[in-house]
Amino acid sequence: MQNHAYSRLGVSGPGAVVPSPPSSPRRPWGRRASAKGGGWSARAGAGAARRAARAVLAALLRRQAVFLFAPLLYVAAMLLYMGSISLDSVPRIISRPAPGSMYRSPQLYARLRADMDADNATDALATVWRHAYKGGIWRPCISNNTNGLPESNGYIYVEANGGLNQQRTSICNAVAVAGFLNATLVIPNFHYHSIWMDPSKFGDIYDEDHFIQRLKNDVRVVDKVPEFIMERFGHNLSNAFNFKIKAWSPIQFYEDVVLPKLIEERLIRISPFANRLSFDAPPAVQRLRCLANFEALKFSKSITALSNTLVSRMREKSAENNGKYVAVHLRFEEDMVAFSCCVFDGGDNEKKELDAAREKGWRGKFTRPGRVIRPGAIRMNGKCPLTPLEVGLMLRGMGFSNNTSIYLASGRIYKAETNMAPLLEMFPLLQTKETLASDEELSPFKNFSSRMAAIDYTVCVHSEVFVTTQGGNFPHFLIGHRRYLYGGHAKTIKPDKRRLAILFDSPRIGWRSLKRQLFNMRAHSDAKGIEIKRTNESVYTFPCPDCMCRSNKSEHFKSIQAR
């Protein structure tokens, strides 16, 4: 047994010495090479290659600057490679416009029109807006001042520029500045503008007597500068000292800089005077702005009479909807379309017409060296005015049926015959001041753009829903005025035009999907109507009573008199 065991271990007998176990196995380079017939020469060659590679790598690591040539070597290799390939086999790169950058609304309308006409069940006018004013009981903060006014520090004469509502800004700011400085305000003069081309004076648009009477306890207002003051300036207002004031100047600037000159001269001019007062102002200033805008400024008797007539006619034509109608402010006049630099049908005629309009209205502004205009980017950013077709698509998608009465507030629509056709197809009950009033009724106002805008303003104020499509002074004032009149909240639709640009550029969107997204947009617009006024917001848009009630005007006047 023992011999057998030893023989299994490879040992001949019990007296033999047993060898120690073999060392850790290593790769038998020599044997494998020999088995393949390479022998020691192959081993030597492989070792030499490894040593050479190590030497090159060590050299590169010692001289790291050599790596700077690696990109050049790579580029050279790619050029050699590309030179060996036929250009016919290289794939062609197709550039596609970004979503929302193109005007494709006509194609969308043509594709969805049948589904839209078949879906006329919902009626947004019958849907009560869910939100209401959440600030408690709405209190218009315009309390009458019964303390009387101290002696005036002098007269302020302003020259308002721009259109109807930019001039309105000037008037309200002038009232606020005059009241804050305890000055007498001369009825503002209106500049004649090359675009609006309206020579109307203050009394042609507003009720001058009402304006003076409503402000008498807060700000002295006169219709002209007294004779004894005019004598000092040779009966020429241009001889009076004229302040050039920066836009959005704080009220403190007027107290520190303007007031001393007013006391010295007794009469000063401020021209031009539009956005020359910061929105962020003390409560006493905000109250005067509010008083001027919502109480003192009333349109002239002739404008008010015709406007009220048109409101009554709109309600009669909306009898099926209990006298409720939708007012749309459409900014698609030639000057607005030209100024936007957007491309619509993209034809040569459109380009020539709008280039000519830009040069006429803003000579050299859009052609100066280095200016780059990107219509696609403008559209994607929501800066392009909505076309009549897009307004119709939006309102139908928001649930307004084709029997909804629409009042369209607008100037002369660009290419009206072509562009208005689809909107009239979607809303056949659409009206304008020209369709509601006779030529005889409109004749005293027709050649005066500001008076025509005042008629639109009044009809829009009394609508059930107001829709703004482009922004600007008109909707900002109107939104605030409706909030003021209707308990802090009014039904206003202010669409997200960036989102609209993408929706109207969707090649495969269906009517149900479009409608669902537009319903959500309408709900969001309604929620925005009850936002709390922020510090830098215009009091004309957000007549927030909490921001205007706390004022101690008598104490302020004492500090002014002390100077």
Side-chain angles (χ1 to χ4, degrees), residues 113-148:
R113 184 177 176 187
D115 292 336
M116 180 194 304
D117 291 341
D119 179 20
N120 202 38
T122 57
D123 188 359
L125 271 178
T127 305
V128 178
W129 255 244
R130 295 179 180 179
H131 302 285
Y133 176 66
K134 294 184 178 180
I137 299 174
W138 175 261
R139 293 181 299 106
C141 186
I142 300 181
S143 56
N144 293 324
N145 179 33
T146 57
N147 297 328

Side-chain angles (χ1 to χ4, degrees), residues 242-383:
N242 184 41
F243 268 101
K244 297 289 185 181
I245 296 176
K246 292 181 179 180
W248 316 116
S249 292
I251 193 65
Q252 197 61 41
F253 173 84
Y254 288 89
E255 186 170 351
D256 296 341
V257 178
V258 176
L259 180 59
K261 195 70 176 178
L262 172 67
I263 294 172
E264 176 188 346
E265 296 285 330
R266 300 294 296 167
L267 170 65
I268 60 168
R269 292 171 57 223
I270 307 178
S271 175
F273 190 80
N275 300 318
R276 295 297 187 268
L277 181 60
S278 169
F279 285 142
D280 185 11
V285 175
Q286 300 291 58
R287 176 187 171 276
L288 290 173
R289 279 170 153 169
C290 192
L291 177 64
N293 187 48
F294 301 115
E295 295 290 337
L297 281 178
K298 287 194 174 181
F299 292 122
S300 63
K301 291 181 174 61
S302 59
I303 291 175
T304 300
L306 180 58
S307 299
N308 290 339
T309 299
L310 299 192
V311 170
S312 297
R313 290 174 185 173
M314 275 303 303
R315 287 174 175 164
E316 290 171 7
K317 292 181 180 296
S318 308
E320 290 185 12
N321 291 305
N322 298 318
K324 298 176 181 179
Y325 61 92
V326 176
V328 178
H329 181 228
L330 180 63
R331 289 303 315 273
F332 206 70
E333 302 91 350
E334 183 179 87
D335 64 302
M336 185 69 244
V337 176
F339 186 82
S340 72
C341 295
C342 298
V343 173
F344 293 93
D345 65 19
D348 291 337
N349 287 338
E350 178 187 285
K351 185 178 187 308
K352 290 177 182 177
E353 288 174 359
L354 298 183
D355 283 346
R358 280 188 280 268
E359 190 60 25
K360 177 183 176 183
W362 303 273
R363 193 173 302 277
K365 177 181 178 69
F366 297 96
T367 56
R368 63 174 180 258
R371 175 150 194 175
V372 179
I373 297 173
R374 298 185 178 89
I378 297 171
R379 184 172 301 282
M380 291 169 64
N381 286 329
K383 301 299 183 183

